[in-house]
Amino acid sequence: MYIKICGITKLDQARAIAQMGADALGFICVPSSPRYISTSTIGQIISSLPKSQSEQFVDLDLIGVFLNTSAAEICHNIESSGLNGVQLHGDESPEFCDRLRSQLDRINPNTKLIKALRVKDRVGLERAKLYSDIVDVVLLDAYDPQIAGGTGKAIDWQMLRDFCPHCDWWLAGGLSPENVAEAIALTSPNGLDVSSGVELSAGDKDLDKVERFIANVKRTMGANSKFANPTHEK
């Protein structure tokens, strides 16, 4: 099970969370967000992360989260910061994602492209499928009419039982160490994205909660092999 810890703002926390076994760190590149972090600070954090195989940071995904940002600005941020993944959390169309995919491939063909959608009903689920042949991952987050993410709200997990796009999909919204096992059991996602559920305050991670979250995911996956989804081929 892929685990992304989002809303990273501090170097010491980034290093500690990577050492705990997270697959990805997420950095919010949206100035209006309380978890916003500048491109230069992201670059400083990334350049300070150990790259040795012994510390298992080599395959760490470093994902910038963008909201209705131009493709040119996203590509500039990727090149100047060292990010190797892009998460789109706004109103980006499938056509925009397709154009961005081509531009990212010219920078680094291994750049992971994720499209996040705030889902409140089955119409939203059908819309999510429109992206599944274009992006690497579809991320489903809880709907809020005013806040794009990090709300602490959860989707109706029952609604996601049969969700099966052509690409991998990750679950976000309202996850915590206490409920993640239930979330996995009800939805069987390929990955999990958590932010507010493992925080002391916005952008300040509670490392004990992060550790318990990761441990509970691994314990759940180890005890229930039926939850292990095969990776979709693109």
Side-chain angles (χ1 to χ4, degrees):
M1 178 68 68
Y2 188 100
I3 301 172
K4 172 172 170 269
I5 308 299
C6 202
I8 300 294
T9 62
K10 303 174 186 294
L11 171 58
D12 59 335
Q13 294 183 356
R15 293 170 66 104
I17 291 168
Q19 288 171 333
M20 290 176 192
D23 298 289
L25 305 179
F27 302 91
I28 308 300
C29 304
V30 182
S32 61
S33 169
R35 299 174 181 86
Y36 170 71
I37 181 171
S38 68
T39 302
S40 60
T41 304
I42 294 172
Q44 292 170 11
I45 291 176
I46 291 175
S47 64
S48 299
L49 291 173
K51 305 299 190 295
S52 68
Q53 188 69 47
S54 62
E55 294 196 64
Q56 300 180 337
F57 285 19
V58 175
D59 296 325
L60 186 66
D61 286 333
L62 303 159
I63 298 172
V65 179
F66 299 89
L67 178 72
N68 298 329
T69 306
S70 70
E73 185 176 347
I74 291 172
C75 290
H76 173 73
N77 286 354
I78 291 293
E79 290 185 289
S80 59
S81 65
L83 292 165
N84 59 19
V86 171
Q87 179 175 315
L88 303 174
H89 222 295
D91 302 315
E92 301 87 3
S93 67
E95 293 75 19
F96 177 89
C97 293
D98 196 29
R99 292 194 301 272
L100 178 62
R101 171 80 279 168
S102 298
Q103 295 179 48
L104 291 173
D105 283 347
R106 289 196 288 269
I107 299 171
N108 178 359
N110 295 318
T111 303
K112 191 184 296 290
L113 181 59
I114 303 118
K115 179 65 182 93
L117 295 110
R118 293 174 287 162
V119 176
K120 64 177 178 179
D121 52 31
R122 294 192 180 277
V123 174
L125 285 182
E126 290 303 311
R127 180 169 176 261
K129 293 179 181 179
L130 298 176
Y131 295 85
S132 63
D133 288 324
I134 301 168
V135 301
D136 299 298
V137 178
V138 169
L139 183 151
L140 301 185
D141 201 353
Y143 177 80
D144 186 286
Q146 296 179 324
I147 304 173
T151 64
K153 295 182 179 180
I155 308 177
D156 178 2
W157 293 337
Q158 296 285 350
M159 183 175 63
L160 306 180
R161 279 184 177 276
D162 300 320
F163 182 66
C164 187
H166 296 156
C167 64
D168 283 357
W169 77 274
W170 299 349
L171 177 66
L175 295 174
S176 69
E178 291 73 28
N179 68 14
V180 69
E182 180 185 5
I184 293 171
L186 288 175
T187 64
S188 297
N190 301 103
L192 303 162
D193 188 326
V194 63
S195 182
S196 61
V198 291
E199 284 184 328
L200 296 166
S201 60
D204 185 12
K205 301 306 175 192
D206 183 324
L207 295 181
D208 288 337
K209 285 187 177 181
V210 174
E211 188 170 31
R212 284 195 290 116
F213 184 89
I214 293 173
N216 287 348
V217 172
K218 293 183 176 180
R219 185 179 301 112
T220 300
M221 298 305 296
N224 301 277
S225 60
K226 69 177 181 178
F227 298 145
N229 290 351
T231 300
H232 293 278
E233 297 290 339
K234 285 187 66 65

